[in-house]
Amino acid sequence: MAKKTTTTKQNHTEPSWFAALKTFSANERTRFITGLVISILTIYVGLALLSFFFTGAADQSKIENVPLGDLLINRGSVENWAGVRGAYFSDLLMNRWFGISSFMILFFLGSVGAKLMNLNKVSLLRRFLFSASALIWGSVFFAFLFIKGYEDTFIYLGGQHGYYISEMFIANIGIPGTILLLLGSFLILAIFTSKRTIPFLQRILSLGWVRNRLKRKEGEEDVEPTEKEDIVAPRSKFAVEQPDEQPEMDDYKEFDTEAELLKAEGKEKRKNVSDYKEEEVADDDLIVTIAAGDDDPINEKEEETNTPELEDGEDAGFTVEVAAGNDETYDASGLGTYDPRLDLSRYVFPTLDLLKAYDGGSMEINREELAENQRLIKQALEDFNIKIASIKATVGPTVTLYEIVPEAGVRISKIKNLEDDIALSLSALQIRIIAPMPGKGTIGIEVPNKNPQTVSMQSVIASRRFIEGKYELPVAMGKTITNEVFMFDLCKTPHLLVAGATGQGKSVGLNAIITSLLYKKHPSELKFVMVDPKMVEFSIYSKIERHYLAKLPNAEKPIVTEPADAVATLNSLVIEMEDRYRLLVSAGVRNIKEYNTKFIERRLNPQKGHHFLPYIVAVVDEFADLIAVAGREIELPISRIAAKARAVGIHMILATQRPDTKVITGTIKSNFPSRIAFKVASMIDSRTILDAPGANRLIGRGDMLIIVAGQEPVRVQCAFVDTPEVEDIVDYIGEQAGFQTAYLLPDYVPEGGEASTSGAVDLSDRDPLFDEAARLIVIQQQGSTSLIQRKFAIGYNRAGRLMDQLEAAGIVGPFEGSKARQVLVQDEYSLEQVLNGLK
């Protein structure tokens, strides 16, 4: 007899009209035509509304209280540019509905048309909410503003809708209450519309601008001490000596604040006819050094001095100046929080329609197959005198888990040794026995489904768990046996080792990891370093070079394909790691999350080299091939990155298809606690990856075991993302505006080498700041990278690249370790000759 198959669907059958609508929207031609029609109608209604301002008075008597059918009889009698229908619709929108705010309807319809024609990539939901809110608010606002002239004009600026609502508000809460309500609703609408509204309101409401103005007025006033102020400075005051007269007690003036002291010092310095010379005065073992001269002018804004209190018995004729330390806290929170996404504020994340839905959202369960497998498992165990108390089945996309509870007295090891016998009785390719199940008092037997389902990346990305997840670097890998989306945070992994035999889904798994991050992280928050010795796996991501990729300063290609370049790139990541640690130490924080939080709150000074740090994910494919060619040279930087880079936001993913101990060494395994194992050939390979058997019992085609940060292995069916889907995603991102260049890593010079492995400096592609940096170096006669970085407020990477270009142009000498480079051009005239020669 033929088996009966019971199909249980998770979702209800879609209505036929909804399916037809999906089919219609999927066709690019029909979408474009629909958008074109909507745009033409929008323009037509817009002309009618514009004409209403000029012809509304003449047409009012002709169309008021007249049915549209009667109007069509006298087609030429209206003055509106859009004819009878235009006059009718303009009067309907302007007078009977929302007034001049009706233009927001046209704004939304125009956005819909442009979206359907693929002219822009705006969010229609946001545009609808904004348009609807502005439509209602504008109607009430204009009606309230011009409510007195409502009866004496042909045009109702707020429409009847706004007129009736404003009348209701005035009757209930009065005119002041209506004004406050309109103001409050406007501010709320502005807050949801723009991220800059809250910082602006904070500056206005905190009255910071008033205080700044008062401070500027105080700074313009001269300090004119009176005779009453000629008193000896008390303990808690600040003292300043009058330089033009003898140091007597009457020459010390009292100031209430240190700022007044500094201001007075600056004024006296400017009035001095003869400057102080360096002198030392000894008094009871106290040596006070006072130094000032032409070489060290006093700068009121940059230098601060603290005068300690005078104890009883000390000679008031001396003041002790103590230099201010470096522990001053920088606080620019009054400017509002820093938004790292403002550099690419118009960036739009990839949409779900770029991915294909392979599973269709339904789960087919063959109940007769489940019952037959339960009977065969029970019979196979009873043949070996193993009795079962109960058995339960959990159906997954590719594997069904049968949980059995053996009767008392049965040894677990006896069941575990029956894997091949149970597989033979079930006619299955591979089964896997989990004895015991972690956290449960059962034994698990995983049996492949006869009709496995494909888990699409679209279903994983569209899941609520992924959309609402709060992970820093969320990675959605697929679905577990219980049909739950499996996710983990790459920040807590913190590094990942991926291994599996050829053709078992390793490349698809890497694409799933990258796709998850592209759907969640903004280009200013995440960068990838991709190493691809096969030259074909990651080449597709070259289109997003200026958005998400990082590379060496002079690298021709963003994807690293040569082993020598891979060594240089990974060593450059080590330098980047050390630079980031220095920034963390300077900021007084322990990890990148605390550092970026502090920078966003504007508590770190950008003038001192601080900047927002994006996460960096290094993806290295075919690690075995790199080890075979480079060996120790590439293992050393990987070990250093894996051991230290977690705290500074650098994470590494290593992938290989040959999981032997020569490739996955003990040093690497100790620093990669999280691992993904696809199907491998032998139990030895499984133990090499997971330190446990099981990967050799997988069925392939994306079936994998995942260990996250040393936890128990979890069996997951990897989400399938095909190459055309990845191409659509990178095309979608690549077509948008990006940064000027890829994220530039620090240049790496190997020992004994004189240039970066990425090639010589190309002076035809000079930095826009090259000429200004050259003039700065020549004027200052100091070849310092930090000088360029400080004066132009740029990052270390760009300043280092500028210095390399200046060296190649013959303006500065070679790198000399901790010393500043020698400046080879002595004057500006010679420099101009060099710059003209480069042009």
Side-chain angles (χ1 to χ4, degrees):
M1 291 179 63
K3 295 182 180 180
K4 296 182 179 179
T5 301
T6 304
T7 302
T8 304
K9 293 190 176 180
Q10 295 177 345
N11 300 331
H12 296 290
T13 304
E14 295 178 346
S16 57
W17 62 268
F18 186 72
L21 181 62
K22 288 179 62 177
T23 304
F24 173 80
S25 62
N27 190 312
E28 183 178 1
R29 180 180 298 175
T30 55
R31 281 166 56 96
F32 190 89
I33 293 175
T34 305
L36 183 62
V37 171
I38 292 176
S39 301
I40 292 174
L41 290 176
T42 303
I43 295 173
Y44 172 78
V45 178
L47 288 173
L49 291 180
L50 288 176
S51 176
F52 184 80
F53 290 101
F54 306 100
T55 62
D59 293 339
Q60 186 175 21
S61 60
K62 299 177 183 178
I63 61 175
E64 196 171 22
N65 300 324
V66 179
L68 181 61
D70 295 341
L71 286 175
L72 293 176
I73 300 175
N74 302 323
R75 294 183 179 179
S77 60
V78 296
E79 301 293 334
N80 193 285
W81 303 338
V84 175
R85 286 180 174 83
Y88 180 81
F89 282 117
S90 60
D91 179 73
L92 180 70
L93 293 173
M94 297 292 284
N95 285 340
R96 305 181 196 178
W97 285 3
F98 303 104
I100 60 174
S101 61
S102 299
F103 281 97
M104 296 306 302
I105 299 176
L106 304 184
F107 175 68
F108 175 70
L109 290 178
S111 302
V112 173
K115 177 77 171 180
L116 291 175
M117 291 189 291
N118 203 23
L119 299 181
N120 59 13
K121 296 179 174 61
V122 299
S123 171
L124 289 182
L125 178 60
R126 288 185 178 181
R127 191 60 59 87
F128 171 76
L129 294 176
F130 170 75
S131 302
S133 303
L135 178 72
I136 297 173
W137 185 90
S139 174
V140 178
F141 172 77
F142 285 109
F144 174 76
L145 195 63
F146 299 100
I147 195 168
K148 294 300 182 182
Y150 181 78
E151 299 88 352
D152 300 330
T153 180
F154 72 95
I155 182 172
Y156 305 154
L157 293 177
Q160 292 184 4
H161 164 270
Y163 176 77
Y164 291 135
I165 292 182
S166 60
E167 284 283 344
M168 180 188 68
F169 284 157
I170 293 173
N172 285 273
I173 59 178
I175 293 179
T178 306
I179 294 175
L180 292 175
L181 180 63
L182 288 172
L183 178 62
S185 58
F186 175 77
L187 293 178
I188 293 174
L189 179 60
I191 289 172
F192 280 103
T193 303
S194 175
K195 296 179 180 178
R196 301 180 181 179
T197 305
I198 293 180
F200 174 76
L201 293 177
Q202 289 173 340
R203 289 196 298 271
I204 296 297
L205 298 178
S206 63
L207 302 178
W209 59 279
V210 177
R211 290 196 295 268
N212 293 336
R213 188 170 182 179
L214 292 176
K215 287 181 180 179
R216 286 196 298 269
K217 286 185 177 180
E218 290 178 0
E220 295 172 357
E221 297 176 358
D222 293 329
V223 178
E224 299 180 356
T226 62
E227 293 181 357
K228 296 181 180 180
E229 293 175 318
D230 298 339
I231 304 174
V232 178
R235 291 181 55 182
S236 60
K237 302 296 181 180
F238 300 95
V240 61
E241 185 176 355
Q242 299 294 323
D244 293 335
E245 300 179 6
Q246 297 299 325
E248 299 179 358
M249 298 297 292
D250 291 340
D251 294 329
Y252 286 85
K253 301 190 184 306
E254 179 180 333
F255 297 92
D256 294 330
T257 64
E258 187 178 2
E260 294 178 0
L261 169 67
L262 295 176
K263 189 186 299 181
E265 284 184 335
K267 292 179 181 296
E268 297 298 336
K269 288 295 179 182
R270 289 192 295 270
K271 293 177 182 178
N272 284 348
V273 177
S274 61
D275 296 324
Y276 282 121
K277 303 300 179 182
E278 185 173 352
E279 61 184 56
E280 293 186 356
V281 183
D283 178 47
D284 296 333
D285 299 328
L286 175 64
I287 298 178
V288 182
T289 302
I290 305 174
D294 295 334
D295 296 333
D296 299 305
I298 298 295
N299 190 325
E300 294 179 24
K301 294 183 179 179
E302 295 182 357
E303 296 186 10
E304 294 183 10
T305 58
N306 296 330
T307 305
E309 301 171 355
L310 295 176
E311 300 292 345
D312 294 337
E314 284 189 326
D315 190 350
F318 300 102
T319 58
V320 182
E321 296 185 353
V322 182
N326 294 327
D327 57 348
E328 299 176 5
T329 57
Y330 175 83
D331 188 0
S333 57
L335 300 176
T337 58
Y338 169 78
D339 186 1
R341 297 187 177 188
L342 284 180
D343 291 336
L344 294 181
S345 58
R346 296 187 178 182
Y347 175 80
V348 180
F349 284 90
T351 56
L352 283 176
D353 56 4
L354 300 174
L355 298 170
K356 297 180 181 178
Y358 295 96
D359 47 9
S362 62
M363 171 64 73
E364 295 184 357
I365 301 176
N366 192 326
R367 299 189 180 276
E368 288 193 1
E369 179 184 344
L370 295 179
E372 181 68 13
N373 285 342
Q374 289 179 353
R375 184 185 66 80
L376 293 174
I377 291 172
K378 192 172 184 179
Q379 180 179 345
L381 294 175
E382 288 177 351
D383 290 342
F384 292 93
N385 298 321
I386 299 175
K387 295 185 179 180
I388 299 174
S390 64
I391 183 169
K392 184 182 77 171
T394 303
V395 182
T398 57
V399 174
T400 299
L401 173 65
Y402 297 90
E403 295 183 57
I404 62 174
V405 180
E407 292 187 350
V410 176
R411 298 180 62 183
I412 294 177
S413 59
K414 191 174 182 181
I415 298 177
K416 201 166 185 179
N417 293 330
L418 298 176
E419 281 183 336
D420 295 333
D421 299 284
I422 297 175
L424 178 64
S425 64
L426 294 175
S427 302
L429 292 174
Q430 294 283 0
I431 70 166
R432 177 171 171 261
I433 295 180
I434 309 171
M437 292 282 292
K440 299 181 180 180
T442 60
I443 296 173
I445 301 177
E446 295 175 344
V447 180
N449 295 337
K450 292 184 178 180
N451 298 312
Q453 285 189 318
T454 301
V455 177
S456 67
M457 195 69 197
Q458 193 266 356
S459 64
V460 175
I461 297 295
S463 64
R464 175 172 295 181
R465 186 177 182 187
F466 182 81
I467 294 174
E468 298 178 356
K470 301 299 182 182
Y471 291 156
E472 289 294 321
L473 292 177
V475 176
M477 288 302 303
K479 292 185 178 180
T480 62
I481 290 178
T482 58
N483 262 311
E484 295 178 351
V485 174
F486 183 85
M487 286 181 59
F488 61 87
D489 189 354
L490 191 58
C491 287
K492 298 179 180 179
T493 310
H495 308 290
L496 189 62
L497 180 63
V498 182
T502 304
Q504 302 303 320
K506 177 171 58 65
S507 297
V508 174
L510 293 178
N511 285 331
I513 294 173
I514 296 172
T515 301
S516 300
L517 296 174
L518 292 179
Y519 266 87
K520 267 291 188 178
K521 304 303 290 184
H522 191 271
S524 61
E525 301 168 340
L526 173 67
K527 302 296 176 183
F528 288 99
V529 173
M530 296 186 178
V531 180
D532 180 20
K534 287 199 299 188
M535 305 184 187
V536 294
E537 291 294 339
F538 296 149
S539 60
I540 192 173
Y541 294 103
S542 299
K543 298 178 182 178
I544 58 174
E545 172 185 354
R546 295 186 299 110
H547 299 81
Y548 282 102
L549 298 190
K551 66 175 184 177
L552 289 172
N554 302 312
E556 296 180 359
K557 300 178 181 178
I559 309 298
V560 180
T561 56
E562 297 297 329
D565 290 341
V567 173
T569 302
L570 293 175
N571 278 287
S572 177
L573 272 180
V574 174
I575 299 174
E576 174 78 11
M577 175 185 72
E578 299 293 347
D579 291 343
R580 290 188 171 201
Y581 267 113
R582 293 187 189 97
L583 290 176
L584 262 63
V585 171
S586 175
V589 296
R590 300 180 59 185
N591 55 57
I592 186 175
K593 187 174 182 180
E594 295 177 3
Y595 178 89
N596 283 339
T597 300
K598 208 169 182 180
F599 187 83
I600 288 173
E601 294 172 354
R602 298 188 187 274
R603 292 190 287 137
L604 295 177
N605 191 350
Q607 298 296 330
K608 295 185 177 180
H610 291 291
H611 57 279
F612 184 83
L613 298 179
Y615 287 97
I616 298 178
V617 178
V619 187
V620 181
D621 196 12
E622 298 300 334
F623 179 59
D625 182 65
L626 294 176
I627 286 289
V629 176
R632 176 72 176 171
E633 292 183 17
I634 202 161
E635 184 179 355
L636 181 60
I638 287 177
S639 300
R640 291 195 63 191
I641 292 171
K644 294 177 58 179
R646 170 185 181 178
V648 293
I650 300 177
H651 306 275
M652 180 162 286
I653 301 173
L654 290 185
T656 180
Q657 63 181 5
R658 198 170 75 234
D660 55 43
T661 53
K662 293 181 180 179
V663 177
I664 306 176
T665 62
T667 304
I668 292 176
K669 288 178 67 174
S670 63
N671 291 317
F672 284 78
S674 300
R675 301 160 196 173
I676 295 178
F678 292 90
K679 180 176 173 58
V680 294
S682 64
M683 185 184 296
I684 297 176
D685 292 341
S686 177
R687 291 187 180 277
T688 303
I689 307 169
L690 303 175
D691 293 328
N696 56 310
R697 293 285 181 177
L698 300 175
I699 61 175
R701 295 178 60 84
D703 192 16
M704 60 184 177
L705 290 173
I706 300 181
I707 297 177
V708 177
Q711 299 176 2
E712 292 293 328
V714 179
R715 191 166 186 175
V716 177
Q717 178 61 40
C718 182
F720 179 69
V721 53
D722 204 0
T723 303
E725 298 175 66
V726 179
E727 288 179 349
D728 291 341
I729 293 172
V730 297
D731 287 341
Y732 184 89
I733 297 174
E735 290 173 356
Q736 302 184 53
F739 298 102
Q740 291 184 352
T741 62
Y743 185 84
L744 298 180
L745 300 173
D747 203 359
Y748 167 70
V749 179
E751 295 182 5
E754 297 183 357
S756 169
T757 56
S758 55
V761 177
D762 184 11
L763 289 178
S764 63
D765 185 20
R766 297 189 300 276
D767 192 281
L769 294 176
F770 177 82
D771 291 357
E772 296 181 37
R775 294 186 180 94
L776 173 68
I777 294 296
V778 172
I779 292 173
Q780 299 291 335
Q781 285 295 301
Q782 181 183 359
S784 170
T785 304
S786 60
L787 176 65
I788 297 177
Q789 183 181 359
R790 186 172 63 255
K791 290 295 183 181
F792 296 110
I794 60 177
Y796 178 82
N797 295 337
R798 188 177 180 186
R801 188 179 182 187
L802 271 168
M803 188 60 69
D804 291 339
Q805 294 177 354
L806 293 172
E807 178 187 353
I811 298 174
V812 297
F815 180 68
E816 299 181 8
S818 59
K819 297 181 180 180
R821 296 176 185 245
Q822 181 183 1
V823 182
L824 304 179
V825 179
Q826 300 303 320
D827 52 59
E828 293 186 65
Y829 177 75
S830 302
L831 174 63
E832 293 300 327
Q833 290 181 330
V834 174
L835 296 178
N836 292 334
L838 293 176
K839 295 178 182 178

